[in-house]
Amino acid sequence: MRRAWLAAVAVLFLWAAPAGADSGLIYDTGELKPVDSVLKVAVGDEAPDFELPAVGGGTVRLSDFRGRRNVVLSFVPAAWTPVCSDQWPGYNLALDLFKQYDAELIGISEDNTPSQYAWIKEMGGLNFTVLSDFWPHGEAAKQYGILRSDGTAERALFVIDKQGIIRFILVGDINRRPDLGLLVDALSKLPK
Amino acid sequence: MKNVTMILAILALLLTAVPASADVFPDLELRGDLAPEQAAYLGIEAAPVKVSAIPADFLLVEVFSMYCPICQRDAPAVNELYKELSAADTEGRIRFVGLGAGNTPFEVNFYAKKYEVPFPLFHDQEFEGHKALNNVGTPAYYLVDIASGREIRLFHIGAIEDVSAMVGALLEAAGIKGAE
């Protein structure tokens, strides 16, 4: 066993580097109530429109994608929290899958833009649009019925087709990451 | 003074990076869809398979996640580690696998394809293995001595900064003389 410890020490000296979960900047929320809101939209409904500020500058209006691209809305509860801080880097890796189905990925949280900016930097950058639903607080999330009682959003996914119609909804357990496979399956079923 | 500083540095590193390791690696059931050549590499018929049932002297386990930015950035280095380790371990005593913490089969397959991972990857969709490893941060590496009852011979957490040096440390920890 002593040998194993020595090996561990040697390895740590040679390659010590922080693991993502150990960066010390992520706030541990503990186990939360899985879902804390009542959905206001259903598959087949027209997606409620919104216009929100983007981290990259300017604003983005959902309806601007109508007739042009499918859209995936990924609402996450809050910046600097454990599950959210790996869900979006995973989607960033999978952007080719979204492109394959002519889908624009839009991430939304209830944080303000400066907070989102710092968080995205910490995650190593994201190559998709991130919008702030901070003010008026939670207006977009409220329209979809996914604003929780503490002002955060549910961990929710909406797939919206080029006609602006909602084709897939997943409001999952806030404590768990949704399976990327379910989202890709929904994208694969969109009208060509 | 230098010695005191060195000891404090060692203690700090151990406190921050080692507590996730255990003396004995849990006898996890590894689940996944293996290609025939991957099953042959491990010397098994198919998955699921228990760690203890893999007929190798040592198993190097990388705990990763498709969603972990460090794992993503480090994936090419990990592939290089596999390549260099395989070349140096001429008798094939160390086998290399990955365990996708909290990753579904779709996510593990996507990761394997995206980075052309050459070694077998298993999924740990319900975090069972991850919990058994005290929710270790990712990426983490365990060199498991299967023959000695799964004693952990080496533990490393975080990015691999120097692949060749890590290969040397792995061979040293396994008591294997590398290829000349």
Side-chain angles (χ1 to χ4, degrees):
Chain A
M1 191 58 220
R2 188 170 169 227
R3 204 169 156 193
W5 278 92
L6 288 173
V9 171
V11 168
L12 284 165
F13 267 117
L14 287 168
W15 305 288
D22 295 336
S23 67
L25 294 173
I26 302 303
Y27 179 78
D28 185 1
T29 57
E31 192 79 0
L32 300 171
K33 185 177 177 183
V35 176
D36 183 33
S37 61
V38 180
L39 198 60
K40 290 182 183 168
V41 293
V43 169
D45 287 355
E46 186 176 320
D49 198 18
F50 54 78
E51 183 173 1
L52 294 171
V55 174
T59 62
V60 171
R61 183 190 294 272
L62 177 63
S63 54
D64 286 347
F65 294 95
R66 282 197 193 164
R68 297 196 300 118
R69 300 201 73 192
N70 300 306
V71 173
V72 174
L73 299 181
S74 168
F75 283 87
V76 295
W80 304 103
T81 56
V83 181
C84 309
S85 299
D86 58 22
Q87 183 177 346
W88 281 359
Y91 290 173
N92 199 54
L93 180 69
L95 284 177
D96 285 348
L97 290 178
F98 293 88
K99 283 180 191 163
Q100 186 183 330
Y101 297 105
D102 200 14
E104 181 84 14
L105 173 63
I106 298 176
I108 305 173
S109 80
E110 310 312 303
D111 306 281
N112 66 9
T113 302
S115 190
Q116 290 179 328
Y117 174 84
W119 180 46
I120 290 168
K121 281 271 187 188
E122 164 65 14
M123 291 189 288
L126 298 173
N127 297 314
F128 58 88
T129 301
V130 173
L131 306 180
S132 167
D133 191 22
F134 180 70
W135 202 258
H137 193 78
E139 277 297 299
K142 269 185 216 165
Q143 289 188 87
Y144 286 77
I146 54 164
L147 188 67
R148 293 170 67 96
S149 59
D150 64 358
T152 61
E154 300 290 0
R155 191 173 309 287
L157 293 166
F158 298 88
V159 175
I160 299 161
D161 71 15
K162 291 177 183 174
Q163 280 67 52
I165 304 301
I166 298 173
R167 294 298 177 193
F168 173 80
I169 300 174
L170 193 156
V171 181
D173 180 345
I174 193 170
N175 305 290
R176 301 291 303 270
R177 244 184 350 243
D179 177 11
L180 178 63
L182 291 176
L183 183 53
V184 173
D185 183 58
L187 288 169
S188 73
K189 290 172 180 164
L190 286 173
K192 301 294 178 196
Chain B
M1 187 60 196
K2 272 186 178 174
N3 286 343
V4 172
T5 307
M6 181 67 80
I7 288 166
L8 287 174
I10 291 172
L11 284 174
L13 284 166
L14 291 176
L15 286 172
T16 55
V18 172
S21 71
D23 291 347
V24 172
F25 194 84
D27 197 11
L28 305 177
E29 184 173 77
L30 302 173
R31 301 170 191 140
D33 297 322
L34 297 183
E37 61 272 19
Q38 290 180 320
Y41 166 73
L42 293 176
I44 61 174
E45 293 288 323
V49 62
K50 289 244 184 190
V51 168
S52 60
I54 294 175
D57 291 339
F58 298 93
L59 191 66
L60 178 59
V61 182
E62 180 203 12
V63 183
F64 74 100
S65 169
M66 188 208 96
Y67 291 92
C68 152
I70 298 175
C71 304
Q72 295 174 9
R73 286 198 294 271
D74 222 27
V78 178
N79 287 352
E80 184 60 28
L81 175 68
Y82 167 81
K83 191 177 158 189
E84 285 193 24
L85 185 62
S86 299
D89 175 23
T90 51
E91 293 179 12
R93 296 180 63 200
I94 302 176
R95 292 303 189 218
F96 196 162
V97 299
L99 182 67
N103 289 176
T104 63
F106 179 92
E107 291 161 348
V108 165
N109 291 336
F110 173 75
Y111 188 88
K113 192 173 170 189
K114 181 86 182 177
Y115 292 112
E116 299 179 335
V117 178
F119 51 90
L121 298 182
F122 296 94
H123 59 82
D124 181 30
Q125 185 167 353
E126 301 301 326
F127 289 100
E128 291 166 353
H130 192 240
K131 282 176 191 159
L133 294 167
N134 300 321
N135 300 313
V136 67
T138 54
Y141 301 84
Y142 297 84
L143 181 66
V144 182
D145 185 342
I146 297 178
S148 78
R150 303 184 316 283
E151 191 170 312
I152 297 169
R153 295 290 183 199
L154 183 147
F155 171 75
H156 172 69
I157 188 164
I160 298 169
E161 304 295 339
D162 185 331
V163 170
S164 297
M166 187 152 179
V167 169
L170 287 164
L171 294 174
E172 169 72 20
I176 297 171
K177 192 179 175 187
E180 296 298 327

